Amino acid sequence: MPEMDIFIKGAGTISPQNSFGDGSLSGDFIGYPETYFLRCVEPPYKDYLDPMASRRMSRIVRMGVCAALRCIKESGVDMPGAIVTGTGLGCIEDTEKFLGSMIRNNEQLLNPTPFMQSTHNSVAAAIALTIKCRQYNSTYVHRGFSFESALLDSIMLLEENAADNVLVGGLDELTPNSYNITRRLQLWRKKPVSNLLLFAGKEKGSLPGEGVAFFMLGRHAYNKAFARIRGLRTFYRPRNASAVSGEIGDFLKSRRLRTRDIDVVLLGCNGDYPSDAVYRYLMRKRFSDTCCTAWKHLCGEYDTSASFALWIAGMILKEQALPHAIMVNGIRPHNLNNILIYNHLRNINHSLILVSAC
């Protein structure tokens, strides 16, 4: 739990939406009719990366480095004092290449590059090499808590004066093989669906997705900051929806807030009717008079999707505008000062992030 406000000075996001560009929510969100999954809209890498270096990078590394460079440029920070990332599954594509080559070549004459790039910290390392940052560098792999763990470490570094600015990010990729494997676990929709109609009906399964989001965090606002992180909490396997509501109430109380002080709630609804039950309970019991919104129909479900939610929250506060496409219960807020992000992954890893205007 942060004891001081942490300011967001810049952001760089690559997602299935047009989030990279000018980093705005003012444009239309992309609808994917009749789809089984959501994949990122990739930017023109030649504008940010050296072509020779880019060819040696895997897809997730390219996206991570490009998003980080965009974030650094927007923040105006020359060099971060630390680089911290969170990922649920890491560089899946390179892992698949390495394992595939082992099988094809009978474990002989293997290309070492996919093995070296298959490690979970490849993106953080590539960013450090690109910007020549020799400071603290760490990657967290904690499933549904991966981004939140990275965010907590970043906050602690800032509170302990170990760094003035920290580059923090969450990233996960989707490959055809990873989709086919997880589909057997009955996590996803059996039939294609439009992502903008994901919450219609009472279907089982969600849409898998992917994304990369980086943020430059600092202890001081200056003129670049557009939002501030006021609180972070994670909890594991709550007994029921009532226990989740109690956690939220306790969390807000620790921040000297009440439910009515929250202007917008960003809920991690993913379209799987059984797992969305806790969100429906909260909308009925705790947030019946609060503007409730969602984000996973725009980016899909993945371990670090809370990083995309943090980007949306930051843009709402920055632009003081609420897109209609994320509305769930139709309640319009009178102010846009406090946003609460609540997410869970398969009802195991639960997290709360409180974001406020500067």
Side-chain angles (χ1 to χ4, degrees):
M1 176 69 68
E3 296 300 328
M4 59 183 288
D5 287 353
I6 302 300
F7 295 92
I8 303 176
K9 301 180 179 181
T13 306
I14 298 175
S15 73
Q17 302 298 324
N18 292 318
S19 55
F20 190 76
D22 60 356
S24 173
L25 294 178
S26 57
D28 293 331
F29 288 104
I30 301 175
Y32 294 86
E34 303 298 306
T35 186
Y36 285 100
F37 49 78
L38 301 177
R39 299 198 80 188
C40 287
V41 178
E42 298 182 53
Y45 294 118
K46 60 182 178 62
D47 295 343
Y48 288 85
L49 304 176
D50 175 73
M52 293 295 291
S54 178
R55 278 197 291 268
R56 292 192 294 270
M57 296 177 180
S58 66
R59 178 169 170 267
I60 188 66
V61 174
R62 279 197 301 270
M63 290 196 295
V65 173
C66 197
L69 292 176
R70 176 80 186 192
C71 175
I72 293 170
K73 181 179 179 182
E74 182 183 301
S75 69
V77 175
D78 294 329
M79 182 66 67
I83 299 173
V84 189
T85 61
T87 178
L89 296 173
C91 304
I92 304 176
E93 185 178 81
D94 280 304
T95 303
E96 291 175 355
K97 286 181 181 178
F98 177 71
L99 294 176
S101 67
M102 286 182 64
I103 296 170
R104 288 190 300 271
N105 298 308
N106 196 28
E107 301 184 19
Q108 297 179 4
L109 302 175
L110 301 178
N111 180 1
T113 303
F115 172 73
M116 291 184 292
Q117 293 185 345
S118 68
T119 56
H120 292 76
N121 66 337
S122 293
V123 175
I127 295 169
L129 289 170
T130 301
I131 66 175
K132 297 179 173 57
C133 177
R134 297 177 176 85
Q135 307 300 322
Y136 179 92
N137 192 300
S138 185
T139 296
Y140 288 85
V141 187
H142 291 171
R143 296 195 179 182
F145 286 155
S146 297
F147 174 66
E148 288 84 350
S149 298
L151 187 59
L152 178 60
D153 188 17
S154 303
I155 291 170
M156 291 172 64
L157 287 169
L158 293 168
E159 288 185 340
E160 295 168 0
N161 293 322
D164 289 330
N165 299 284
V166 177
L167 179 66
V168 61
L171 49 107
D172 275 298
E173 68 175 331
L174 178 69
T175 67
N177 284 331
S178 67
Y179 168 73
N180 288 328
I181 291 171
T182 51
R183 185 176 62 174
R184 296 174 187 173
L185 302 176
Q186 299 182 352
L187 299 177
W188 316 127
R189 291 289 177 93
K190 294 181 179 180
K191 296 180 180 180
V193 62
S194 169
N195 67 308
L196 298 182
L197 299 176
L198 185 60
F199 306 134
K202 299 181 179 180
E203 301 293 329
K204 291 185 178 181
S206 180
L207 283 180
E210 62 179 6
V212 177
F214 275 89
F215 307 91
M216 186 67 74
L217 306 182
R219 288 181 289 134
H220 307 290
Y222 298 122
N223 59 351
K224 287 284 186 177
F226 54 85
R228 56 195 172 112
I229 298 173
R230 296 181 59 191
L232 168 65
R233 176 177 291 190
T234 59
F235 49 103
Y236 182 76
R237 289 188 185 272
R239 295 188 311 277
N240 48 40
S242 178
V244 173
S245 181
E247 287 279 356
I248 292 174
D250 184 63
F251 174 69
L252 294 178
K253 185 178 179 181
S254 70
R255 299 293 90 190
R256 299 179 180 85
L257 293 175
R258 293 164 293 183
T259 301
R260 66 186 183 188
D261 296 320
I262 300 300
D263 302 302
V264 178
V265 181
L266 267 169
L267 298 170
C269 312
N270 67 3
D272 177 45
Y273 193 78
S275 67
D276 283 349
V278 61
Y279 300 117
R280 294 192 297 272
Y281 176 89
L282 292 173
M283 284 191 285
R284 290 195 313 270
K285 299 294 185 179
R286 180 167 287 276
F287 299 117
S288 58
D289 298 320
T290 306
C291 173
C292 294
T293 61
W295 76 86
K296 289 182 182 176
H297 60 302
L298 303 177
C299 68
E301 177 70 284
Y302 56 98
D303 289 358
T304 55
S305 68
S307 61
F308 184 75
L310 182 58
W311 175 74
I312 287 184
M315 291 302 102
I316 291 173
L317 295 172
K318 180 180 181 180
E319 300 172 8
Q320 286 294 294
L322 191 65
H324 178 74
I326 68 173
M327 301 285 290
V328 174
N329 63 356
I331 298 176
R332 279 279 175 181
H334 298 292
N335 302 296
L336 290 172
N337 293 322
N338 296 312
I339 298 178
L340 178 67
I341 301 170
Y342 165 59
N343 182 45
H344 76 75
L345 183 69
R346 302 181 192 111
N347 207 23
I348 299 172
N349 308 108
H350 296 244
S351 65
L352 299 165
I353 304 175
L354 177 62
V355 191
S356 298
C358 291

